[in-house]
Amino acid sequence: MKTKVKKTTEKEFGGIFGTSALLILLPFIVLYLNIACSQDDCGLLNYTKLLSLDISQLIDCEAICIFIGWFFFQAFLHLLPTGTVVEGLPLNTGKKLKYRCNGFVSLLISIAAFGVLVYLKYPVEVVHDKFLQLAVASILFSFVLAVFVYIKSLSAPNWALAPSGNSGNVVYDFFMGHEMNPRIGSFDIKFFCELRPGLIGWVMLNVTFLYIDLSKNPEPNYGLYLSAAFQIWYVVDALWHEEAILSTMDIIRDGFGFMLSFGDHAWVPFLYSLSSRYLLENPVIHPLALYVLVFVINAIGYVTFRMSNSEKNAFRKNPNQPRFAKYSLIPTESGKKLLASGWWSISRHPNYMGDILMAIAWSLPCGMEHLIPWFYPIYFTILLVHREARDEHNCHEKYGAAWVEYCKRVKYRIFPFIY
């Protein structure tokens, strides 16, 4: 039975005014932070660099070709008959979409392709030299893709629309995503963009930074090695557990519009790599004890993140497994059960706690002299607190009294004894 998607009445991000402002503000943040933080200086208030910038230098044909070529190269790899085909969670129609999970294979092929380019003496340093121009290309591409999927959504049936992007206002729905799962045949645009061009692109930026440093810097840059390695491992882990993304908020609740298009292609690769780019251009030397501390913090964060997510995904797949027999479970009116034991008794979002700890570890090698290299942990903490609030609201509406009981048992939202 196809359930009618109701009009969006509760608007997020400040409604129409807020989303309109974000269409301008978000690209500005990406450009400003990357312009302000360079080899000669990385001050947050370096607005004079922006004022003196020749706008025509930001549009570069080579950078646009590199970005578009990268996108379609990843699309080609995604279409290869490798990996596994899995089913997602049920839609409001009861139907389950199928997804090809071969992101890890795509990553390995991408790294191998980088090695081939180096062997053929292609100047891979162009990715660093034209970093800002590539960021602009990603922003332009994000807008174009968002326009495409919005136009496509206008002919989609009601049941295919996103509950969070069906307000009837063009700007708001364009930003939030009007269609839930825009597809071209079996090619799912949202699923592909969530883990491929931007996330694997983030890895390749870090691989490029490491290559440049190792080939040109005679002194070891341990801070860069750690920060880049942690970021690469984070993506490797995400792609190895690619199926897990099918139960995330982006996939099961949000439509695909400018918010996800821009986030996937511009925000993630060109802002999340700020710390490693800073360490490439401004090497910072620390005592061995700090590097050990960084490693330990990242390890604790990763174990917390991976173990809690694995436990959640296993429970969602089959809550009747023997391993959950002695767990504290809270029944809901819908027949589902809430997990209040194991990692999920520590806080309501232990995976967010692990994410934040890892983010801190990535920026610690940058030192405390400049704020911009700390953008990722600051922003990600704000993002996860906001996402937790969204999840809290949705779960309270969905589970009612069962959620209230869960909150009584698990008092802390993310960090025990803190928040």
Side-chain angles (χ1 to χ4, degrees), residues 186-238:
S186 62
F187 186 88
D188 192 290
I189 297 174
K190 181 168 70 171
F191 176 71
F192 167 72
C193 290
E194 279 287 288
L195 287 177
R196 305 311 175 88
L199 216 60
I200 297 180
W202 179 17
V203 167
M204 301 315 299
L205 287 175
N206 277 288
V207 169
T208 303
F209 297 158
L210 288 171
Y211 171 77
I212 293 172
D213 182 83
L214 291 170
S215 60
K216 297 184 177 180
N217 187 357
E219 299 296 327
N221 191 345
Y222 296 118
L224 172 61
Y225 303 161
L226 285 175
S227 183
F230 293 157
Q231 294 173 50
I232 292 170
W233 179 255
Y234 185 81
V235 178
V236 168
D237 176 81

Side-chain angles (χ1 to χ4, degrees), residues 42-116:
C42 193
L44 185 61
L45 300 180
N46 282 339
Y47 57 87
T48 54
K49 288 185 178 180
L50 187 65
L51 296 176
S52 61
L53 188 68
D54 184 355
I55 302 300
S56 63
Q57 295 178 354
L58 296 178
I59 308 296
D60 184 271
C61 290
E62 183 181 14
I64 292 174
C65 290
I66 290 173
F67 187 86
I68 294 176
W70 171 254
F71 180 89
F72 284 103
F73 174 61
Q74 289 303 313
F76 168 75
L77 295 181
H78 180 53
L79 291 171
L80 293 177
T82 57
T84 59
V85 177
V86 300
E87 289 186 335
L89 296 178
L91 303 176
N92 60 3
T93 61
K95 178 183 177 182
K96 293 183 179 181
L97 296 177
K98 293 184 177 180
Y99 301 87
R100 179 170 293 281
C101 295
N102 60 0
F104 186 74
V105 175
S106 298
L107 173 64
L108 295 180
I109 295 175
S110 299
I111 294 176
F114 180 88
V116 171

Side-chain angles (χ1 to χ4, degrees), residues 9 18 28 38 53 60 83 100 250 257 279 361:
T9 55
F28 174 80
S38 59
L53 188 68
D60 184 271
R100 179 170 293 281
D250 287 355
L279 289 166

Side-chain angles (χ1 to χ4, degrees), residues 33-305:
L33 292 180
N34 280 292
I35 291 171
C37 190
S38 59
Q39 190 161 3
D40 57 324
D41 194 9
C42 193
L44 185 61
L45 300 180
N46 282 339
Y47 57 87
T48 54
K49 288 185 178 180
L50 187 65
L51 296 176
S52 61
L53 188 68
D54 184 355
I55 302 300
S56 63
Q57 295 178 354
L58 296 178
I59 308 296
D60 184 271
C61 290
E62 183 181 14
I64 292 174
C65 290
I66 290 173
F67 187 86
I68 294 176
W70 171 254
F71 180 89
F72 284 103
F73 174 61
Q74 289 303 313
F76 168 75
L77 295 181
H78 180 53
L79 291 171
L80 293 177
T82 57
T84 59
V85 177
V86 300
E87 289 186 335
L89 296 178
L91 303 176
N92 60 3
T93 61
K95 178 183 177 182
K96 293 183 179 181
L97 296 177
K98 293 184 177 180
Y99 301 87
R100 179 170 293 281
C101 295
N102 60 0
F104 186 74
V105 175
S106 298
L107 173 64
L108 295 180
I109 295 175
S110 299
I111 294 176
F114 180 88
V116 171
L117 291 176
V118 171
Y119 177 77
L120 296 175
K121 301 189 183 305
Y122 178 83
V124 293
E125 297 88 349
V126 68
V127 173
H128 175 256
D129 297 339
K130 295 192 175 184
F131 191 84
L132 191 59
Q133 290 81 0
L134 284 167
V136 171
S138 72
I139 292 169
L140 295 175
F141 185 87
S142 301
F143 271 102
V144 171
L145 182 59
V147 169
F148 170 77
V149 293
Y150 180 76
I151 293 174
K152 179 182 178 300
S153 71
L154 298 178
S155 59
N158 174 271
W159 58 264
L161 303 181
S164 59
N166 189 33
S167 70
N169 179 272
V170 174
V171 174
Y172 185 81
D173 294 346
F174 170 79
F175 181 88
M176 297 297 295
H178 193 40
E179 188 175 359
M180 190 71 171
N181 300 288
R183 288 190 162 205
I184 300 175
S186 62
F187 186 88
D188 192 290
I189 297 174
K190 181 168 70 171
F191 176 71
F192 167 72
C193 290
E194 279 287 288
L195 287 177
R196 305 311 175 88
L199 216 60
I200 297 180
W202 179 17
V203 167
M204 301 315 299
L205 287 175
N206 277 288
V207 169
T208 303
F209 297 158
L210 288 171
Y211 171 77
I212 293 172
D213 182 83
L214 291 170
S215 60
K216 297 184 177 180
N217 187 357
E219 299 296 327
N221 191 345
Y222 296 118
L224 172 61
Y225 303 161
L226 285 175
S227 183
F230 293 157
Q231 294 173 50
I232 292 170
W233 179 255
Y234 185 81
V235 178
V236 168
D237 176 81
L239 295 174
W240 183 259
H241 298 93
E242 185 175 8
E243 185 180 345
I245 197 177
L246 298 177
S247 62
T248 62
M249 185 181 293
D250 287 355
I251 297 294
I252 64 177
R253 184 179 181 275
D254 293 334
F256 186 79
F258 177 81
M259 179 176 69
L260 291 184
S261 178
F262 178 82
D264 294 338
H265 300 109
W267 191 269
V268 168
F270 294 100
L271 285 184
Y272 287 15
S273 61
L274 268 172
S275 60
S276 49
R277 184 169 71 85
Y278 173 82
L279 289 166
L280 169 66
E281 298 172 351
N282 307 274
V284 182
I285 307 301
H286 297 291
L288 177 62
L290 181 75
Y291 296 129
V292 173
L293 177 63
V294 167
F295 183 86
V296 170
I297 292 175
N298 190 80
I300 293 173
Y302 174 72
V303 170
T304 303
F305 170 81

